[in-house]
């Protein structure tokens, strides 16, 4: 059957849902062993269906600490798919087994502060003394375009790797009194500050994969921060170091932090005693 509802596809970027649940062991224990097999099969099949859907990605986490037991990060091109998959994931293990404790809706986005081609071309002339139109200047521009194409793809349409440790938290930029309102700063000031932030961030390349997703108008805070790492010490390290960076020190406000581990489904079921 063809879907009569037209897809909701943003002009740019994917929809992202972070979904965290507690397992209600009471509800689970009411299921017979046969029903429990059906429930596990249902979730396994749904995960496979989502992963086979064009423009959809799903990461599954065993959540650390009793804040949550099970987590999903769902990325979908079509908001209808995100919505429908979310509803199915929530009931996939049977009625009342998964009890939502936290969810967050955001969208992948490119940065407002990215260097434009015109700015880069100007910096080649002024800082690297490569006159416009020369082969050296042209070659640098070609390399710049290639870098930008990859950068935009990574930010808007990321393919998230299976790095085991995931940290998620929502954050906003402060709108406090004088000198404490990010949104009252000029674009130039914000850009300068963000360049400092990016410089600190880049020193974590290879250890931390950050995905910043925007949520103004979509959820309670302004961005979702998803960090993937191999070593939890790098999560602790980057978040600590960022606290000293002016952008975070002066302007950042944070929501709750969640830590999850990417594990295969069979291990997840074992660990959650399902
Ligand atoms: O776009 C890029 O990837 C390169 C430059 C860059 C931007 C524009 C960048 C780099 N970030 C950008 C934007 Mn970031 N980032 C955070 C946090 O805990 C905290 O104090 C803050 C949470 C971390 C840990 C982090 C890491 N970043 C943003 C934005 C949007 C702001 C806006 O538009 O006003 C937020 C909210 C934000 C928050 N950042 C990096 C990192 C890392 C590791 C990098 C380097 C990425 C790399 O080059 O590998």
């Amino acid at each position: 059957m063809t879907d009569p509802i037209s897809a909701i596809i943003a002009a740019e970027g994917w929809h992202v849902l972070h979904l965290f649940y507690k397992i209600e062991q009471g509800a689970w224990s009411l299921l017979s062993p046969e029903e429990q097999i059906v429930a596990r099969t249902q979730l396994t099949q749904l995960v496979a269906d989502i992963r086979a859907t064009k423009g959809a990605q799903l990461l599954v986490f065993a959540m650390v600490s009793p804040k949550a037991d099970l987590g999903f990060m769902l990325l979908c091109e079509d908001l209808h798919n995100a919505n429908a998959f979310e509803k199915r994931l929530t009931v996939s293990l049977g009625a009342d087994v998964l009890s939502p404790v936290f969810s967050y809706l955001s969208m992948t986005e490119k940065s407002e502060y990215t260097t434009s081609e015109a700015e880069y071309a100007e910096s080649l002339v002024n800082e690297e003394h490569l006159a416009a139109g020369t082969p050296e200047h042209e070659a640098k521009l070609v390399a710049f375009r290639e870098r930008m194409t990859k950068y935009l793809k990574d930010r808007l349409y990321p393919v998230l790797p299976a790095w085991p440790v995931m940290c998620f938290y929502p954050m906003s930029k402060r709108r406090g009194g004088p000198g404490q309102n990010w949104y009252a700063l000029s674009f130039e000031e914000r850009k300068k500050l963000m360049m400092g932030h990016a410089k600190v961030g880049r020193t974590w390349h290879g250890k931390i994969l950050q995905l910043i997703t925007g949520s103004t108008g979509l959820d309670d805070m302004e961005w979702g921060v998803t960090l993937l790492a191999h070593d939890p010490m790098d999560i602790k390290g980057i978040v600590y170091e960022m606290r000293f960076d002016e952008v975070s020190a002066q302007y950042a406000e944070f929501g709750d932090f969640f830590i999850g581990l990417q594990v295969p489904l069979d291990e997840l079921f074992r660990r959650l005693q399902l």
Side-chain angles (χ1 to χ4, degrees):
M1 201 180 79
T2 52
D3 191 342
I5 300 174
S6 340
I8 301 176
I9 296 178
E12 207 174 76
W14 283 336
H15 306 92
V16 182
L17 273 169
H18 289 78
L19 305 165
F20 302 138
Y21 302 87
K22 283 198 81 108
I23 307 278
E24 299 299 337
Q25 289 293 348
W28 180 254
S29 64
L30 294 179
L31 301 180
S32 68
E34 293 73 28
E35 287 169 327
Q36 292 184 345
I37 293 174
V38 170
R40 282 193 298 267
T41 310
Q42 201 161 275
L43 177 57
T44 306
Q45 188 58 51
L46 177 56
V47 168
D49 286 352
I50 296 174
R51 289 184 172 156
T53 302
K54 187 186 155 284
Q57 250 178 90
L58 180 71
L59 279 63
V60 180
F61 308 102
M63 302 302 292
V64 182
S65 99
K67 276 183 187 172
D69 297 314
L70 168 61
F72 298 111
M73 180 177 176
L74 174 65
L75 299 93
C76 287
E77 182 182 30
D78 178 359
L79 182 57
H80 279 306
N81 276 347
N83 183 228
F85 288 148
E86 168 234 320
K87 302 302 172 210
R88 287 172 65 192
L89 283 166
T90 302
V91 295
S92 58
L93 288 174
D96 300 327
V97 173
L98 291 185
S99 151
V101 286
F102 185 83
S103 69
Y104 205 76
L105 172 64
S106 58
M107 292 176 73
T108 60
E109 64 179 19
K110 65 183 183 210
S111 168
E112 185 184 341
Y113 307 106
T114 313
T115 308
S116 69
E117 186 169 322
E119 282 169 332
Y120 182 70
E122 205 181 297
S123 78
L124 287 179
V125 176
N126 298 334
E127 288 157 35
E128 299 195 31
H129 309 292
L130 295 174
T134 58
E136 293 86 348
H137 184 109
E138 284 303 315
K140 291 243 171 178
L141 278 187
V142 170
F144 175 82
R145 275 180 217 127
E146 272 169 23
R147 271 202 311 278
M148 286 315 288
T149 307
K150 177 172 186 322
Y151 163 81
L152 288 178
K153 199 191 149 289
D154 286 349
R155 285 213 56 153
L156 291 170
Y157 311 107
V159 177
L160 295 174
W163 294 13
V165 187
M166 186 276 307
C167 172
F168 174 78
Y169 51 101
M171 71 170 275
S172 292
K173 297 272 177 87
R174 194 162 288 144
R175 285 177 291 137
Q180 283 268 280
N181 187 340
W182 175 258
Y183 295 91
L185 300 178
S186 68
F187 176 76
E188 285 66 32
E189 282 172 293
R190 284 180 284 128
K191 180 161 176 154
K192 192 168 136 260
L193 287 167
M194 283 309 294
M195 293 299 114
H197 164 89
K199 204 168 155 200
V200 175
R202 275 195 297 273
T203 64
W204 291 87
H205 187 82
K207 291 191 194 152
I208 293 285
L209 188 139
Q210 65 132 19
L211 183 68
I212 300 300
T213 49
S215 53
T216 39
L218 301 178
D219 216 319
D220 298 339
M221 296 188 86
E222 296 167 353
W223 288 276
V225 178
T226 306
L227 305 174
L228 293 175
H230 296 284
D231 181 342
M233 200 172 141
D234 292 329
I235 303 270
K236 188 158 80 70
I238 189 174
V239 175
Y240 182 70
E241 192 178 335
M242 282 294 180
R243 295 287 157 110
F244 294 96
D245 179 69
E246 200 174 346
V247 177
S248 293
Q250 298 280 9
Y251 300 104
E253 281 173 358
F254 302 98
D256 289 344
F257 282 65
F258 292 89
I259 299 288
L261 303 176
Q262 291 204 72
V263 288
L265 276 183
D266 55 346
E267 172 57 24
L268 183 88
F269 291 142
R270 262 198 304 278
R271 205 168 288 189
L272 300 178
Q273 294 160 64
L274 290 175

